[in-house]
Amino acid sequence: MIVENTAEIRKRFTSDRHRPRYHYLPPSNWMNDPNGVIQWKGKYHLFYQHNPHGPLWGDIHWGHAVSKDLIHWMDLPIALAPTSGGPDEAGCFSGCAVNNGEPTFVYTGTRGVRNEIQVQCIATSHDDLLSWEKYAGNPVIGELPPESNQTSDFRDPFVWKEGDSWYAVIGSRIKDRGGVIFLYRSTNLIDWEYLNPLFMSGKKLHGAIWECPNFFKLGDQWVLIISAHTGTATGEVFYFVGSYENYRFTPIHEGVLDYGQLYAPLSFVDDNQRRILFGWVREARSETDQRLAGWSGVQSIPRVLTLDAQQRLLMSPVPELAAIRGIHHQFGPMHLTQTTALEVKGCALDIAATIDPGVNGSCGLSVACAPDGTERTDIIYDTTTKRLGVHKISPEVHGAVNTHIREVPHDLATGEPLQLRILLDGSVLEIIANDRTSITSRIYPSQATSQGVQLLGSKAHLLSLDIWEMPSIWQ
Ligand code: DQQ
């Protein structure tokens, strides 16, 4: 069953140059967290937090799209809607999908004017994930563990199976202490036993509420991913790598999964045993501008996760993306001693650069450059400070986000070149350096002609640069 007229709805946005072309977003209106991602009978299903009534957060449903290759998507009917009088009457918040013989969602239902009553619910599908029946006995977990000392933040179950048991981690907070992940066990996804906190925040830095936990084995380590909600619009996503014994997690390494606009990621294992992660790419513009645009929120290109020898989390866009690449431009090797404009233009590009940064200098690329130089976004590495920066330079234009500066630590080992993977798609800019430092940005160029690319460098050496023009996935 295809949802009628979504192609027509998508056509309305054809002239919106800030709207991504090869990243998934719903036909219109609001989207936030990825939910319930699962490969079922070979096809990838993506569900997502969705307001079908408008481009701002509210009345949260689960939208649905399906794909054969993680890149091209077909819109499907809404999978979950709040049930009046039910435990999810104010919203169907985030959760996951598991295969329990039949596909099953485990998700958070909310009630109350501020969604302050949060409980865990399940739903099953008997028609290959198209329609969903909520369990009549919902909620399956109705109360917070008392040690949380609060009653309103308890959400986003992430479930996996070990032996004959199902386990769930749920995001929460302990009053006056900070984020916590609670651990539960069940044999049937209906009757759940609380075990203990899996892990809790030791520092204020990790935010007041931990949302959207992911907990899984990767190689011979366990990885915990949490989205730290700090009460502002700038929550951050952290990961921890360590051991899991006696139902408790002990980290040996921690890092930042993304320093920018990527939030509430959700991972799953596909039929090829790859651990793949989607993340919500948040907007960075005003509510008024989101309302005017008629859409808000994008999914990242899914990323394959691995660990390196130092237990750092490595992320690489799925190789399936390469299959849609268009015209290819190649540059280098060459010395970078000054800013050099390239004979490439585009607002949808896939860029892979390898640069020997040299010493005491800086190097990188600019994208979305205006012909007159008044607008551009620089992605630049400083060898002295060992920081990677994203600097948006723009004229004062009403409605655009004019300045966006972010500088984050990125330490290269001796002799290790800087590797940049940059996915530019309208207003989305996914940047991953050396597979381990991710800065997801939004740029909203103010001029249609801001499409140039230039190389930046003072004492660097470009080893290779590949740029592909990217098509729309909706043609
Ligand atoms: N988004 C959902 C919650 C989750 C938050 C609500 C994270 O379930 O905690 O839309 O972005």
Side-chain angles (χ1 to χ4, degrees):
M1 187 188 359
I2 304 175
V3 186
E4 296 303 331
N5 80 11
T6 63
E8 285 306 309
I9 297 170
R10 288 186 184 279
K11 266 192 212 151
R12 281 190 225 145
F13 298 101
T14 314
S15 63
D16 181 346
R17 57 201 165 71
H18 293 147
R19 187 167 157 103
R21 296 181 193 176
Y22 65 92
H23 284 71
Y24 180 78
L25 74 170
S28 64
N29 294 328
W30 171 270
M31 173 175 70
N32 55 304
D33 316 350
N35 291 151
V37 282
I38 188 168
Q39 191 172 11
W40 183 262
K41 296 190 179 170
K43 290 186 184 154
Y44 295 98
H45 290 260
L46 166 69
F47 302 87
Y48 53 87
Q49 295 278 282
H50 181 45
N51 179 356
H53 315 298
L56 299 180
W57 187 89
D59 192 22
I60 290 295
H61 293 52
W62 280 32
H64 186 189
V66 67
S67 171
K68 287 184 187 151
D69 62 1
L70 289 164
I71 302 297
H72 297 91
W73 296 92
M74 186 170 83
D75 299 304
L76 289 172
I78 279 174
L80 281 183
T83 299
S84 176
D88 61 7
E89 70 173 357
C92 300
F93 275 21
S94 286
C96 61
V98 291
N99 181 353
N100 184 25
E102 54 189 4
T104 305
F105 285 157
V106 189
Y107 70 101
T108 299
T110 72
R111 286 187 294 129
V113 280
R114 290 188 320 283
N115 304 92
E116 68 275 17
I117 303 166
Q118 305 188 347
V119 294
Q120 317 315 320
C121 301
I122 62 173
T124 49
S125 173
H126 310 291
D127 58 1
D128 290 334
L129 287 65
L130 275 180
S131 62
W132 292 82
E133 192 181 328
K134 295 177 187 172
Y135 173 58
N138 277 338
V140 292
I141 303 176
E143 274 173 25
L144 274 146
E147 62 207 88
S148 70
N149 237 342
Q150 54 87 26
T151 52
S152 59
D153 293 303
F154 185 46
R155 53 186 179 264
D156 314 332
F158 178 93
V159 176
W160 74 100
K161 196 166 193 184
E162 255 183 277
D164 291 334
S165 295
W166 293 100
Y167 292 86
V169 282
I170 302 178
S172 189
R173 72 181 159 96
I174 293 182
K175 189 166 179 268
D176 299 328
R177 164 136 195 191
V180 64
I181 299 301
F182 291 123
L183 178 64
Y184 288 76
R185 179 171 57 196
S186 170
T187 53
N188 56 10
L189 298 175
I190 292 173
D191 305 298
W192 290 92
E193 169 197 5
Y194 171 59
L195 294 174
N196 49 255
L198 175 81
F199 183 56
M200 65 180 87
S201 165
K203 308 178 197 169
K204 276 258 182 288
L205 168 74
H206 292 137
I209 309 166
W210 282 0
E211 304 182 305
C212 299
N214 286 230
F215 188 55
F216 51 86
K217 202 162 183 199
L218 197 57
D220 56 2
Q221 300 290 328
W222 282 82
V223 176
L224 174 68
I225 297 172
I226 57 107
S227 292
H229 179 76
T230 50
T232 67
T234 58
E236 246 180 328
V237 184
F238 297 95
Y239 73 86
F240 304 85
V241 180
S243 59
Y244 174 48
E245 272 165 30
N246 299 323
Y247 306 120
R248 295 194 192 256
F249 173 67
T250 310
I252 50 170
H253 175 77
E254 69 174 81
V256 174
L257 189 139
D258 185 82
Y259 286 96
Q261 297 297 116
L262 187 141
Y263 195 69
L266 179 64
S267 69
F268 73 109
V269 177
D270 80 348
D271 291 349
N272 295 320
Q273 299 311 309
R274 299 181 297 178
R275 172 65 60 177
I276 297 174
L277 175 130
F278 284 82
W280 166 35
V281 181
R282 294 180 295 198
E283 299 299 322
R285 53 182 170 178
S286 68
E287 283 196 3
T288 308
D289 286 345
Q290 292 174 61
R291 225 187 280 272
L292 282 172
W295 58 274
S296 177
V298 179
Q299 292 298 325
S300 68
I301 294 297
R303 301 173 177 190
V304 179
L305 303 184
T306 50
L307 292 175
D308 72 4
Q310 295 168 56
Q311 317 300 357
R312 295 177 298 195
L313 189 66
L314 304 184
M315 288 168 279
S316 172
V318 288
E320 284 89 334
L321 186 64
I324 66 162
R325 285 168 170 165
I327 296 170
H328 182 197
H329 306 264
Q330 260 183 313
F331 303 90
M334 63 193 263
H335 289 297
L336 299 179
T337 49
Q338 60 185 12
T339 299
T340 312
L342 300 175
E343 287 296 310
V344 185
K345 284 199 176 4
C347 53
L349 301 171
D350 180 352
I351 302 173
T354 305
I355 306 173
D356 174 352
V359 282
N360 298 331
S362 58
C363 59
L365 281 122
S366 309
V367 294
C369 307
D372 64 1
T374 55
E375 176 171 57
R376 64 176 199 276
T377 297
D378 296 342
I379 300 149
I380 190 147
Y381 183 66
D382 185 321
T383 56
T384 316
T385 59
K386 298 187 178 206
R387 290 175 85 79
L388 179 67
V390 181
H391 298 190
K392 182 167 161 26
I393 292 97
S394 54
E396 291 293 315
V397 177
H398 169 74
V401 174
N402 290 316
T403 334
H404 168 92
I405 300 180
R406 207 155 239 150
E407 281 182 359
V408 309
H410 183 62
D411 204 358
L412 292 171
T414 311
E416 183 184 21
L418 174 70
Q419 288 180 318
L420 291 174
R421 181 73 185 275
I422 300 167
L423 302 178
L424 170 67
D425 192 5
S427 53
V428 171
L429 186 59
E430 290 192 62
I431 301 161
I432 307 176
N434 298 77
D435 289 344
R436 61 178 185 262
T437 302
S438 170
I439 312 176
T440 302
S441 301
R442 302 301 299 268
I443 59 171
Y444 314 104
S446 65
Q447 302 163 48
T449 49
S450 295
Q451 298 200 9
V453 181
Q454 54 189 28
L455 275 164
L456 308 170
S458 47
K459 297 171 186 167
H461 186 71
L462 176 75
L463 300 170
S464 67
L465 172 62
D466 294 276
I467 303 180
W468 293 270
E469 297 178 24
M470 297 301 273
S472 166
I473 54 172
W474 300 107
Q475 278 149 9

